[in-house]
Amino acid sequence: MLHAPHLTDAEILNGMENVRNSPQNNGLLEAIIIRPGSEQRLSLTQCRLSPEGGTEGDAWARGCWLKLPDGSPHPDVQICITNSRMIHLLAGEKQRWQLAGDNLFVDLDLSRENLHTGQRLAIGECILEITEQSHNGCAKFRQRFGASALTFVNSPTGKQLRLRGIYAKVIQAGDVRVGDQITKL
């Protein structure tokens, strides 16, 4: 796994103006990453999203940390979405974005004010729906991006802005491609 430099509190705060200026209505899909296995990452230029497979090729469909009563993976955590400006701030070079472990990296305001639970997004041929499930920074996030980054994304401000990202479920299956527009429905 690529090593990412750790920013200080001041460096993170200095970069937040750019993150806060993310588009609110029409965004852009900037990267697609799947996790085929533990600690494995694969960057794609296009991918199929489906209710059955999530981000197809990703480990979610084979089992994830949140399960339904029958043991199948929970649809509320199918797709991990993160703000590309935030991950760029923390990780720097695009090749390091994969350290976050998210699926879709978007230039879009993910804040609770801009995207409510149930909000639908059109990306490529797909329609996704934002779920209530919280996406929080963890020990791996701290190891990869530093203690300041973990504290900031898990702070009240970080949670309000959803700086660690959001989860969505697939409502309409289809292909997405890097460069696709994202539209709030």
Side-chain angles (χ1 to χ4, degrees):
M1 191 65 59
L2 303 169
H3 174 71
H6 297 173
L7 300 180
T8 65
D9 293 346
E11 290 169 326
I12 294 169
L13 288 172
N14 286 339
M16 284 307 298
E17 182 177 352
N18 184 48
V19 175
R20 288 179 184 265
N21 286 329
S22 297
Q24 293 187 329
N25 295 310
N26 297 302
L28 185 69
L29 178 57
E30 294 198 344
I32 303 167
I33 306 291
I34 59 170
R35 303 158 298 175
S38 180
E39 298 303 320
Q40 296 177 331
R41 305 287 190 271
L42 182 60
S43 178
L44 306 174
T45 57
Q46 74 176 54
C47 187
R48 182 161 184 77
L49 306 181
S50 71
E52 303 78 25
T55 309
E56 294 192 1
D58 189 69
W60 173 84
R62 292 187 303 279
C64 74
W65 57 272
L66 185 60
K67 298 186 184 321
L68 292 172
D70 68 2
S72 61
H74 202 294
D76 282 359
V77 295
Q78 279 182 328
I79 310 293
C80 303
I81 304 172
T82 202
N83 180 286
S84 58
R85 294 178 188 214
M86 186 64 190
I87 197 60
H88 181 75
L89 173 63
L90 298 178
E93 297 175 27
K94 197 168 188 177
Q95 67 183 13
R96 292 182 172 167
W97 291 11
Q98 64 180 303
L99 293 169
D102 299 310
N103 303 123
L104 304 181
F105 295 79
V106 302
D107 189 16
L108 183 69
D109 177 357
L110 303 179
S111 71
R112 291 188 179 280
E113 183 178 296
N114 192 49
L115 297 178
H116 58 82
T117 299
Q119 174 75 55
R120 291 191 174 184
L121 302 174
I123 307 174
E125 300 170 348
C126 296
I127 296 177
L128 303 179
E129 183 176 286
I130 305 306
T131 67
E132 181 57 31
Q133 184 65 43
S134 294
H135 196 185
N136 301 310
C138 62
K140 287 182 181 180
F141 190 86
R142 182 184 67 236
Q143 177 188 11
R144 294 170 183 163
F145 301 109
S148 292
L150 178 66
T151 299
F152 196 74
V153 300
N154 286 341
S155 72
T157 298
K159 291 203 177 282
Q160 181 63 29
L161 297 174
R162 293 180 169 146
L163 297 178
R164 180 56 194 100
I166 59 175
Y167 287 108
K169 62 183 172 182
V170 180
I171 301 300
Q172 177 181 306
D175 291 338
V176 296
R177 291 166 186 77
V178 171
D180 280 347
Q181 292 291 311
I182 302 166
T183 306
K184 287 170 50 177
L185 301 177

